[in-house]
């Protein structure tokens, strides 16, 4: 055999040996294709399953015995292997409203504010006032945030869960917590639960603190009734995003009732022109209100009564009337 042939055989043999060694070191797989569990892991899994079954069946005696035997309680049921819930013993007990079991777990050392594998604290699962009080007694914060930055109250609003909203208000949840993130009105509207707007107002939630952004989606959806509720209760009529004011958005969408409410609440009807108005005739807000409101004469009259100058000149040199003559697309 030539030297090249011998070298080739040696390389092949090395590769075969390396592959065999790698296979020998890789963990064996079970019937589902997952790494097989060690004896210790199997024992842990059996204990976890036993505890979960006892919680679900409300077997307080068994749960108590396992706690006295020294079983750790701050874990998630899927930590050993997949196929189990990502909840912890405490969040399972609270979500099923197993009050007695939850009390045993907390007294046995479970951390009241710990987030489970879903990123939720036990307070995010509460279904009774007694459960909230129990968690608070053991140090839980009713305004704690989950992994998404949502409080239990905000989460209940997002889901449209009126019963839990009422429960959390009764337990003392703050509507302004957390300081960052959307306000409760915006959470409700974006979650398709605008019907909660009057409920939140009745519970004293202030659309000024933090400033609500719910008017934008309400205008888009045409929900004039809820928009008026927020405006009449103090929502900022002069709010704007990075492109426009609320009143211009309401005019573009032809939400005449909302425009009237904004005007009555003190919305500025003498808007400044944008930087491109003089050169491109875009963003000429000083005449835009009159131009767009011309589609609805009662709205035009309302804005005029609130101080809108129908003969104002924009930086482009046009008035609302001459702009309509040149480009009648957005007016009449």
């Amino acid at each position: 055999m030539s030297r090249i042939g011998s070298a080739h055989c040696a390389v092949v043999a090395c590769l075969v040996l390396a592959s065999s060694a790698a296979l020998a070191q890789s963990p064996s797989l079970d019937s589902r294709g997952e790494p097989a569990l060690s004896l210790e892991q199997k024992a842990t899994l059996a204990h976890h399953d036993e505890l979960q079954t006892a919680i679900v069946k409300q077997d307080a005696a068994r749960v108590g015995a396992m706690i006295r035997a020294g079983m750790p309680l701050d874990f998630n049921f899927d930590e050993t292997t997949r196929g189990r819930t990502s909840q912890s013993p405490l969040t399972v007990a609270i979500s099923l409203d197993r009050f007695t079991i939850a009390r045993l777990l907390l007294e046995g050392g479970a951390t009241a504010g710990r987030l489970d594998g879903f990123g939720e604290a036990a307070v995010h699962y509460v279904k009774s006032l007694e459960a909230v009080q129990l968690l608070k007694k053991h140090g839980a914060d009713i305004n704690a945030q989950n992994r998404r930055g949502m409080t239990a109250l905000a989460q209940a609003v997002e889901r449209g869960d009126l019963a839990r909203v009422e429960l959390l208000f009764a337990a003392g949840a703050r509507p302004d917590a957390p300081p960052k993130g959307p306000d409760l009105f915006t959470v409700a509207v974006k979650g398709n639960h605008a019907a909660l707007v009057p409920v939140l107002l009745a519970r004293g939630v202030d659309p000024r603190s933090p400033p609500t952004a719910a008017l934008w989606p309400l205008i888009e959806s045409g929900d004039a009734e809820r928009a008026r509720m927020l405006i009449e209760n103090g929502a900022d009529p002069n709010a704007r995003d990075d492109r426009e004011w609320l009143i211009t958005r309401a005019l573009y969408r032809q939400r005449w009732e909302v425009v009237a409410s904004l005007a009555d609440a003190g919305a500025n009807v003498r808007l400044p022109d944008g930087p491109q108005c003089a050169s491109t005739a875009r963003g000429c807000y000083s005449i835009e209100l009159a131009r767009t409101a011309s589609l609805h004469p009662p709205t035009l009259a309302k804005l005029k009564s609130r101080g809108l100058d129908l003969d104002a000149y924009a930086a482009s040199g046009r008035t609302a009337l001459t702009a309509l003559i040149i480009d009648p697309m957005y007016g009449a």
Side-chain angles (χ1 to χ4, degrees):
M1 183 182 292
S2 67
R3 284 191 221 170
I4 295 177
S6 300
H8 175 72
C9 290
V11 170
V12 171
C14 288
L15 289 174
V16 170
L17 289 172
S19 299
S20 300
L23 288 172
Q25 293 175 2
S26 63
S28 58
L29 303 179
D30 61 17
S31 59
R32 295 176 298 175
E34 298 181 7
L37 301 179
S38 66
L39 292 177
E40 181 180 356
Q41 289 173 319
K42 289 180 179 179
T44 299
L45 183 61
H47 278 84
H48 288 181
D49 287 349
E50 183 181 359
L51 177 61
Q52 185 177 10
T53 299
I55 293 171
V56 172
K57 292 185 175 181
Q58 303 189 72
D59 188 345
R62 186 61 194 140
V63 171
M66 296 183 77
I67 292 173
R68 288 190 297 274
M71 183 169 189
L73 300 174
D74 282 343
F75 66 89
N76 304 323
F77 285 107
D78 65 349
E79 286 180 358
T80 303
T81 185
R82 294 185 298 176
R84 269 63 172 177
T85 179
S86 294
Q87 285 184 278
S88 69
L90 181 60
T91 58
V92 167
I94 293 295
S95 67
L96 296 175
D97 207 21
R98 305 292 195 249
F99 180 81
T100 301
I101 302 293
R103 179 171 52 79
L104 287 173
L105 294 170
L106 288 164
E107 291 175 352
T111 304
R114 179 181 178 273
L115 301 186
D116 64 16
F118 292 119
E120 308 283 356
V123 73
H124 289 87
Y125 294 97
V126 292
K127 294 183 178 178
S128 66
L129 186 59
E130 293 79 10
V132 179
Q133 292 170 338
L134 176 68
L135 290 170
K136 290 173 69 174
K137 177 182 176 181
H138 287 271
D141 178 6
I142 193 173
N143 299 302
Q145 300 174 45
N146 64 11
R147 190 175 294 161
R148 295 192 299 136
M150 303 281 283
T151 64
L153 178 58
Q155 186 182 73
V157 169
E158 182 182 49
R159 294 173 177 174
D161 190 339
L162 179 58
R164 194 169 293 183
V165 168
E166 298 284 15
L167 163 65
L168 290 164
F169 271 124
R174 293 200 327 269
D176 60 339
K180 295 182 180 180
D183 62 281
L184 290 184
F185 295 110
T186 303
V187 170
V189 173
K190 289 190 173 182
N192 295 318
H193 301 294
L196 285 178
V197 168
V199 174
L200 296 174
L201 287 170
R203 297 298 175 272
V205 182
D206 190 346
R208 297 168 295 183
S209 179
T212 184
L215 287 172
W216 300 96
L218 287 172
I219 288 171
E220 290 300 308
S221 67
D223 192 339
E225 179 184 359
R226 274 77 179 238
R228 287 203 316 273
M229 285 182 183
L230 292 177
I231 294 166
E232 290 168 0
N233 281 274
D236 183 5
N238 289 303
R240 66 167 301 172
D241 60 12
D242 57 351
R243 297 182 303 160
E244 60 186 338
W245 287 267
L246 276 171
I247 195 167
T248 55
R249 174 49 44 184
L251 281 165
Y252 292 148
R253 293 300 185 210
Q254 300 184 23
R255 314 301 190 203
W256 311 122
E257 293 176 81
V258 178
V259 174
S261 294
L262 290 169
D264 288 339
N268 181 19
V269 296
R270 298 199 173 205
L271 301 177
D273 289 325
Q276 294 183 321
C277 179
S279 59
T280 66
R282 294 180 179 177
C284 297
Y285 300 114
S286 62
I287 63 172
E288 192 64 21
L289 270 62
R291 189 167 76 114
T292 313
S294 66
L295 286 166
H296 192 254
T299 297
L300 187 63
K302 164 71 77 172
L303 295 178
K304 182 181 178 182
S305 72
R306 296 300 179 185
L308 178 63
D309 183 1
L310 302 186
D311 297 314
Y313 278 87
S316 63
R318 299 173 184 173
T319 65
L321 180 58
T322 57
L324 284 169
I325 294 170
I326 294 170
D327 182 9
M329 181 178 179
Y330 296 107

